[in-house]
Amino acid sequence: MVSTLKKDNESICLSGSKSCVTDSEHKPPQKLTVFFRESRSLTLYWFLAFFRILLTFIPQKGYIHPDEFFQTTEVVAGDILSIEAQIPWEFNSTFPVRNVVLPYLVVGTPIWFWQLLQNLDLIRPISTYTLLVLPRLVCCLISFINDYSLYRICLLEDEEYRTRLLAFASSYVIIIYATRTFTNAFELALVSLMLYVVSDCIICSNKVLKEQEEIDKQYSTAKDIRLRVELSRRRKRLPSHSLSHCFTIATITVIGVFNRPTFIGFAFPPIFFWLQRGLNSLGFSHFHLRLFLLVISSLPALLIFIFVDSIYYGTLNTLDFVKNGLMLRQFVVTPFNFILYNIDSSNLSNHGLHPRFTHLLVNVPLLYGILGATTLFSLLNIFKSILTRKWHHLPRTDNVYGLMLASILVPVGLLSIFPHQEPRFLLPVTVPIVFLYSFCIQERRNVYVSDGSGRLRRFKNIKEKKNIRQMFRASWFLFNACFILFYGFVHQGGIYPLLDHLSKEVKSKPRLTHIHLVTSHIYSLPVSFLQIESSKKIHQLENSKLRYVKTKDFHLYELGSIEKAEVPYLLESIIMKAESEKAKKHLKYKVYYSLPYSKLHELNTILHGHNLTFTIDYSSSFHISTEAMPRLKTNHKCLTFSNVQTWLHSFKNGVLNSSLSENFFSFFTDNFYECYSVIQDLNKQFGLVLIQVSKHLHA
């Protein structure tokens, strides 16, 4: 049995009896000191960091949510490259709810730089791949702010950082979500940075105040004048800590709130912990002073963001400024508009309503797996301590552990008030969860035994009584591997290949040909990836003052999860209108329809009833739409073979009849092509198809 426990930065020391070691070949002395040393190598972490960058370049074809493009890339690329783009409602100039500063800095800067090099003929024109990967690469680099912040917090607290970094870098939240152009990914980096800054302030204040108390105690008991003078000088030399990082925290808060106003919920715990540091020693007046200076320090960033938004959305221009001067109605405060929009539940219903417990009971485990489950159990214990009034069991408000716990409880609780709850809204709690609960996947690799002589002897056969951590560790890696594949490559995974194909089709189409694209049961298409010159761009004839704009020749009709019976009527309407334009203006046309392959068979039957026919123009594999799940056929002859289950059952039990085996393989040999068709059909079911629709030749 273990008798003593000693913990430091590198090892855990256990003292026990001879019975601790069961290896018959190596019998240590009666008195043992056993060291379970963490692996000092960060090789696996660096491999995962490289893997994160590599997946960005491959690229990831998965499409998590439309906001991945429509809150950043679609808007910025459309403006900078002067190409067609679908501008979402959030960027409506009449009631804008999205700030443009951060999207332009993160996404716009690399696109602008690429265009600059392209204009100088130093680099090839921007492509669909470049437009996808370039912003993601910047987001991937930004994601390492989270790693650095977690590492620094661990060093500040003198905590083991290797397991935490490994858990963090292996999480699909970081590998997939944090490398996408989500505003939530920007929010994650800002929250992580703020947690690091505030943790540094807390630890610095605690050290300074502790030393100050010791000096004051020595000063009160000192009788020698020279000693008192020396102590007084030491007290004056103590570093200033009350207002440390005030401007940094204020600036991060403003940037975060303008990026996503939900940042208020994530920033509240760090700001509160920063404000209340050492008030027992300093007095409550410091709280008001810090709060006042925090507000003052936020003004520069606040004014910059308001001015940029006001200029971008056209409410503030030079002509109005010269005529009327600055007026309050000319300024756009996007976070205020965002809050006004979201407090109206009828607006949220347009985006989907969820039960209030979705964040806590569904999204936390969905994002963090075993770490999320551990978080829930920990929160239950905290609520139990509150109900039983065991206040001494609760974390203190003057240390980093209390800060991390509050940074989980407060934002999750606040966001649970609103009925629209998506997993990505909780990304900023990643660092606190990993910092507090990654111990559940910790692995102790090297076991050393000391006999008191100062020498360490290694024993490989020491068995731990519990393998729970190994099970948790395995489940953690398996959980994240599955979601990396799903969200990284399969979920709506056919859309990027479809856009790549369509961009080539648009560039190679004959002149005076219009393309009509209908989609259903898939996410919205970011049109900017097609690289179509904007129909709003004004051109000027050479040696002439005449100006003109190009006619829009690409038309997109997104039907969502429309009923299949309505599709033919829309296609007929599009074809009739295109035929009319062809007769009047001699404009050729092509009508395409993109949908999951699982819906194609039903569509074929319906279209024939409307004298419409189609040919498959393009198809891509590895696509799953939750709006149209694959339909797997189970009536194939090779799947209903009566001896299959018997053969598998016999094989499982280790009893394999030779005649049964021969019958089994001879069956599949005779029905090879049918079995191959099953596999082929299975592959097609997980696919996205693009068909070209036309009127039936015999109509």
Side-chain angles (χ1 to χ4, degrees):
M1 296 293 293
V2 175
S3 58
T4 61
L5 176 65
K6 180 181 178 182
K7 182 178 180 181
D8 55 26
N9 295 341
E10 302 296 336
S11 62
I12 296 178
C13 174
L14 300 174
S15 296
S17 63
K18 181 178 178 179
S19 60
C20 289
V21 182
T22 59
D23 189 358
S24 59
E25 297 180 4
H26 303 279
K27 294 185 178 181
Q30 291 282 341
K31 192 73 174 179
L32 299 179
T33 303
V34 183
F35 295 83
F36 292 89
R37 289 191 173 175
E38 299 292 341
S39 174
R40 297 193 176 195
S41 175
L42 285 174
T43 304
L44 185 54
Y45 166 76
W46 290 116
F47 170 78
L48 290 169
F50 173 76
F51 181 68
R52 191 190 314 176
I53 299 173
L54 180 64
L55 282 188
T56 305
F57 280 102
I58 283 179
Q60 301 172 27
K61 297 180 181 179
Y63 185 176
I64 301 176
H65 191 277
D67 287 352
E68 175 183 347
F69 298 109
F70 288 93
Q71 289 182 1
T72 49
T73 308
E74 185 76 355
V75 178
V76 174
D79 291 340
I80 295 178
L81 301 177
S82 298
I83 55 179
E84 288 290 337
Q86 290 194 85
I87 306 301
W89 64 271
E90 292 102 323
F91 293 87
N92 190 330
S93 59
T94 58
F95 190 75
V97 299
R98 292 291 176 189
N99 170 258
V100 297
V101 176
L102 215 56
Y104 263 81
L105 287 176
V106 176
V107 178
T109 301
I111 293 177
W112 176 85
F113 188 69
W114 187 284
Q115 187 187 37
L116 177 64
L117 295 178
Q118 176 186 328
N119 294 336
L120 296 174
D121 294 327
L122 298 176
I123 203 168
R124 63 184 177 86
I126 195 166
S127 63
T128 305
Y129 171 82
T130 310
L131 194 56
L132 178 73
V133 171
L134 203 59
R136 284 186 180 179
L137 180 60
V138 177
C139 292
C140 180
L141 297 177
I142 291 175
S143 72
F144 285 98
I145 293 176
N146 304 295
D147 302 59
Y148 177 76
S149 299
L150 178 61
Y151 168 72
R152 293 297 302 175
I153 292 171
C154 292
L155 290 185
L156 289 172
E157 273 296 301
D158 204 17
E159 284 288 346
E160 201 281 325
Y161 59 84
R162 297 172 186 86
T163 300
R164 290 179 171 90
L165 284 178
L166 179 60
F168 191 82
S170 60
S171 172
Y172 86 93
V173 171
I174 300 302
I175 295 175
I176 303 297
Y177 275 99
T179 58
R180 302 296 182 91
T181 50
F182 282 116
T183 54
N184 308 90
F186 308 157
E187 188 177 39
L188 167 61
L190 291 169
V191 170
S192 301
L193 189 60
M194 176 172 278
L195 287 173
Y196 160 55
V197 172
V198 173
S199 298
D200 183 51
C201 293
I202 291 174
I203 293 172
C204 178
S205 294
N206 289 343
K207 289 181 179 179
V208 172
L209 291 174
K210 183 178 180 180
E211 187 173 352
Q212 182 178 314
E213 289 177 1
E214 291 179 357
I215 292 174
D216 291 343
K217 185 178 180 180
Q218 293 178 20
Y219 186 87
S220 62
T221 58
K223 297 181 180 180
D224 187 12
I225 297 297
R226 286 179 295 181
L227 179 58
R228 287 196 169 196
V229 171
E230 178 62 26
L231 291 173
S232 179
R233 289 176 178 174
R234 281 179 56 191
R235 196 179 193 280
K236 291 180 180 179
R237 286 197 298 266
L238 291 176
S240 176
H241 66 93
S242 181
L243 301 176
S244 58
H245 297 300
C246 179
F247 183 78
T248 303
I249 294 172
T251 304
I252 292 175
T253 303
V254 172
I255 295 173
V257 171
F258 272 84
N259 174 58
R260 288 187 67 85
T262 54
F263 188 84
I264 297 172
F266 295 101
F268 179 79
I271 291 176
F272 174 77
F273 273 68
W274 183 83
L275 290 172
Q276 61 85 41
R277 290 170 298 126
L279 293 184
N280 293 333
S281 302
L282 299 174
F284 201 74
S285 59
H286 279 258
F287 182 92
H288 297 96
L289 177 63
R290 291 169 182 171
L291 183 61
F292 174 75
L293 292 178
L294 193 69
V295 173
I296 297 299
S297 300
S298 68
L299 291 179
L302 183 68
L303 293 176
I304 291 173
F305 275 71
I306 291 176
F307 266 96
V308 172
D309 279 343
S310 301
I311 293 172
Y312 179 83
Y313 290 112
T315 60
L316 184 64
N317 55 65
T318 307
L319 185 61
D320 287 342
F321 175 73
V322 172
K323 287 184 177 181
N324 306 318
L326 290 177
M327 291 184 291
L328 190 61
R329 61 179 177 81
Q330 293 177 303
F331 294 105
V332 173
V333 185
T334 51
F336 180 70
N337 293 344
F338 181 94
I339 294 172
L340 287 179
Y341 179 86
N342 283 277
I343 59 177
D344 188 348
S345 58
S346 62
N347 291 330
L348 293 179
S349 63
N350 297 328
H351 307 278
L353 299 180
H354 309 93
R356 294 296 199 281
F357 57 79
T358 302
H359 271 326
L360 189 63
L361 300 183
V362 178
N363 293 340
V364 170
L366 182 65
L367 288 172
Y368 305 107
I370 188 64
L371 264 62
T374 308
T375 303
L376 294 182
F377 280 113
S378 175
L379 296 182
L380 284 175
N381 289 331
I382 290 173
F383 286 126
K384 182 180 178 181
S385 299
I386 294 174
L387 293 175
T388 56
R389 298 184 179 182
K390 295 180 179 179
W391 311 116
H392 59 285
H393 288 173
L394 300 179
R396 298 173 58 182
T397 59
D398 61 350
N399 59 38
V400 174
Y401 294 96
L403 168 64
M404 292 297 176
L405 187 61
S407 297
I408 299 173
L409 274 173
V410 173
V412 172
L414 290 176
L415 291 177
S416 296
I417 297 174
F418 300 94
H420 180 59
Q421 302 181 14
E422 297 180 25
R424 60 192 174 92
F425 295 168
L426 298 183
L427 294 189
V429 302
T430 304
V431 167
I433 286 179
V434 171
F435 180 83
L436 292 176
Y437 304 112
S438 59
F439 66 86
C440 69
I441 63 168
Q442 192 172 14
E443 180 186 18
R444 306 193 186 284
R445 294 184 178 179
N446 299 329
V447 181
Y448 294 86
V449 178
S450 174
D451 57 2
S453 63
R455 296 181 179 180
L456 294 179
R457 298 169 58 192
R458 182 174 178 178
F459 288 82
K460 298 182 180 179
N461 296 328
I462 293 181
K463 296 181 179 179
E464 296 186 45
K465 294 182 179 180
K466 297 181 180 179
N467 294 323
I468 296 178
R469 287 188 179 181
Q470 293 181 358
M471 181 181 68
F472 283 175
R473 188 181 180 89
S475 68
W476 168 256
F477 286 114
L478 180 61
F479 167 82
N480 286 289
C482 291
F483 277 99
I484 286 172
L485 289 174
F486 181 71
Y487 282 121
F489 298 95
V490 178
H491 185 256
Q492 299 284 338
I495 291 182
Y496 167 72
L498 173 66
L499 290 170
D500 189 41
H501 171 77
L502 286 173
S503 66
K504 297 173 184 176
E505 177 71 19
V506 169
K507 291 176 183 177
S508 62
K509 72 178 180 65
R511 188 171 173 270
L512 300 178
T513 300
H514 284 219
I515 292 180
H516 301 265
L517 175 63
V518 181
T519 67
S520 70
H521 301 90
I522 61 174
Y523 281 173
S524 299
L525 301 185
V527 179
S528 59
F529 284 80
L530 301 179
Q531 300 287 296
I532 303 172
E533 191 173 25
S534 176
S535 58
K536 298 178 181 179
K537 183 179 179 180
I538 300 176
H539 301 266
Q540 185 171 350
L541 292 174
E542 294 183 5
N543 303 323
S544 174
K545 295 183 179 180
L546 294 177
R547 296 183 178 184
Y548 68 96
V549 293
K550 291 185 176 181
T551 305
K552 186 175 182 179
D553 58 2
F554 180 83
H555 311 274
L556 179 63
Y557 313 85
E558 294 182 322
L559 307 182
S561 300
I562 191 173
E563 291 293 332
K564 57 186 178 182
E566 300 178 22
V567 174
Y569 296 103
L570 177 63
L571 293 174
E572 284 182 328
S573 174
I574 294 172
I575 292 175
M576 288 177 61
K577 185 177 180 180
E579 285 287 347
S580 176
E581 291 290 317
K582 182 179 179 181
K584 294 179 181 179
K585 302 179 182 179
H586 304 286
L587 296 175
K588 298 179 181 179
Y589 69 92
K590 292 182 179 180
V591 178
Y592 292 104
Y593 181 27
S594 181
L595 72 164
Y597 190 89
S598 57
K599 294 286 183 180
L600 188 60
H601 179 71
E602 298 176 2
L603 180 70
N604 186 23
T605 306
I606 297 174
L607 291 184
H608 276 293
H610 289 261
N611 291 323
L612 295 174
T613 185
F614 69 86
T615 56
I616 296 179
D617 184 77
Y618 175 79
S619 63
S620 62
S621 302
F622 303 107
H623 174 95
I624 291 182
S625 295
T626 54
E627 296 84 355
M629 293 298 290
R631 295 186 176 183
L632 306 180
K633 298 180 181 179
T634 58
N635 58 349
H636 283 281
K637 183 180 178 181
C638 61
L639 295 179
T640 57
F641 177 51
S642 59
N643 285 335
V644 170
Q645 291 185 348
T646 306
W647 187 88
L648 291 175
H649 180 73
S650 301
F651 182 80
K652 181 179 179 181
N653 295 331
V655 180
L656 189 59
N657 185 283
S658 59
S659 61
L660 183 62
S661 178
E662 291 176 2
N663 292 337
F664 178 79
F665 287 109
S666 64
F667 170 82
F668 278 101
T669 303
D670 297 337
N671 298 274
F672 173 79
Y673 290 106
E674 185 172 353
C675 295
Y676 175 75
S677 67
V678 173
I679 298 173
Q680 197 174 31
D681 180 68
L682 181 65
N683 181 50
K684 288 181 179 179
Q685 286 294 322
F686 291 93
L688 183 68
V689 65
L690 178 69
I691 61 175
Q692 184 172 352
V693 184
S694 59
K695 293 290 287 184
H696 201 281
L697 295 176
H698 303 290

